[in-house]
Amino acid sequence: MSTLKNITGSLLIDARAVFLNGAGLGAGEDRNKVITKTFSEKVNGKFEKVPYVSAQAWRRWLRNTTNEENNWTPSDLQAIDQSAKGSTSKISTYLNPVDYPEDDLFGYMRSGKGNEESVQRTSPFKTSILKGIQGKRVMNTDEAFVHLKEGTPLPYSTEFYSTHLEGFFNLEYFRLGVYDNLGSHVELAKEFVDEYKDQLETSPIGKFERHTLKDAGQKRNQRAAGLLKGLAHLRGGAKMAAFGADVSPKVLILAGMECANPIFNDLFEGNGVKPALKIDALLEIIEDYKSKLSTPVYIGIRSGYIENEDLIKGLENGFIRIGSPISVTNLFIEKHLK
């Protein structure tokens, strides 16, 4: 098999009767209506509303869950600059990937002012939005009233949806614990290069520098494993008091790869009573990318959730491993991140 440089995958979330990511108030006369995020997609010649959760929203769920599941100290957002009127104009995390796994995994940015150094680490963890699968997108409105002791009731409404949300991701595993300072593109701030010089190995990249944690191999495995654990136990979402939901993946596909292609995408459809995995498409992807795969393909499914569950379980062999979402995550960690 090829060298493990990336961990890529796909997930499917049960989002029936939920409000997970709001888009504010409705327009016009609907200023008492809270709406969800949607976009339009042409299906069978007609435009259809597609509910979705932004990448920013579910990445925040994942950051929080991952910190909680691994007892990691969060790299909290903080104000780093103010406008002339005294309001916050810039924010950042601690920008410290040595002590904070969250910064190493999700990246950060600080725009320099004057002679101040600009620092930017693009996120090694790349994601799509979570969008409702075709055939399973129903929009609804919950009508409600606030009743007063005096006066007429005040009406309000909340848009919500019933769907199954699909997303895909890729973790650039090879970048964890490695920080390139390339002139104007600085990943590790000078103050941390100086503070942690005993923990870093510095090597030249032309006239620039690469700083690598001396225990980068161990840290890389720990942090990638922690992220996958957070993903398997994912929790979050808006309006949980009224539209509570378990957003942990009901289907989770994982594989290690040499290349950074997020190949496990557009794999679910909703033409039956339950969502279904596009098995032929999955097998085609595995065959096409076999030379790039560095691990078996792990498919975790919640029992009773998928339409073609029996066919999926029949795929199990030395190169395709089947289990629950959490069990395949634990197996992947045990086999490839120890």
Side-chain angles (χ1 to χ4, degrees), residues 32 142-148 152-158:
N32 65 340
D142 178 52
E143 304 288 356
F145 295 88
V146 176
H147 292 277
L148 308 174
T152 59
L154 178 67
Y156 69 96
S157 57
T158 305

Side-chain angles (χ1 to χ4, degrees), residues 247-258:
V247 298
S248 62
K250 303 305 176 291
V251 182
L252 183 59
I253 299 173
L254 294 171
M257 294 190 69
E258 180 179 33

